[in-house]
Amino acid sequence: MTGIIIDDDFVNEMESFMASQGERFENFLGEYMDILIKVSLEGVKGGKTRESLLRYVGLAQQLKGSVGGVSEMGMSILKKYMEDIDAADSFLY
């Protein structure tokens, strides 16, 4: 009988990877936003370019927290997947 073999260690590694990448991106986004704000306040003193940059900063700030949320969702899906697999093949244990 052929079955599916799931590498629990790999799934756990992917869970950790998602968590670290979500945190890493959130940190990167924070640094990026700091740079954009500084440029818009100090580097570009006025005009349409500054107005457009400020609008862009406002839109980009809406991304804050969303990647972390997606990362957490992915981790939750992996945990649920492993729970479902364990429940489905519990007769083997």
Side-chain angles (χ1 to χ4, degrees), residues 3 8 19 27 33 42 52 56-60 71 76 79 81 88 92:
D8 289 357
N27 290 335
M33 295 307 304
E42 298 174 18
S52 295
Y56 177 76
V57 167
L59 291 172
S71 177
S76 175
K79 283 181 185 175
Y81 173 75
L92 296 175

Side-chain angles (χ1 to χ4, degrees), residues 5-90:
I5 299 172
I6 297 177
D7 185 349
D8 289 357
D9 292 335
F10 177 77
V11 173
N12 291 332
E13 286 174 22
M14 288 299 98
E15 221 177 293
S16 296
F17 177 76
M18 282 185 200
S20 67
Q21 291 303 308
E23 184 177 324
R24 188 173 169 200
F25 183 81
E26 287 295 336
N27 290 335
F28 170 76
L29 183 60
E31 292 174 19
Y32 178 64
M33 295 307 304
D34 290 344
I35 292 167
L36 285 177
I37 291 168
K38 188 171 184 174
V39 168
S40 66
L41 295 177
E42 298 174 18
V44 183
K45 294 293 184 182
K48 290 184 179 183
T49 300
R50 182 170 190 255
E51 292 171 16
S52 295
L53 185 54
L54 288 172
R55 271 192 301 254
Y56 177 76
V57 167
L59 291 172
Q61 284 178 327
Q62 294 176 12
L63 290 174
K64 219 164 173 63
S66 61
V67 173
V70 170
S71 177
E72 288 175 16
M73 184 188 319
M75 290 168 38
S76 175
I77 289 170
L78 282 176
K79 283 181 185 175
K80 177 78 171 115
Y81 173 75
M82 291 306 292
E83 289 170 4
D84 290 348
I85 292 295
D86 287 344
D89 71 355
S90 63

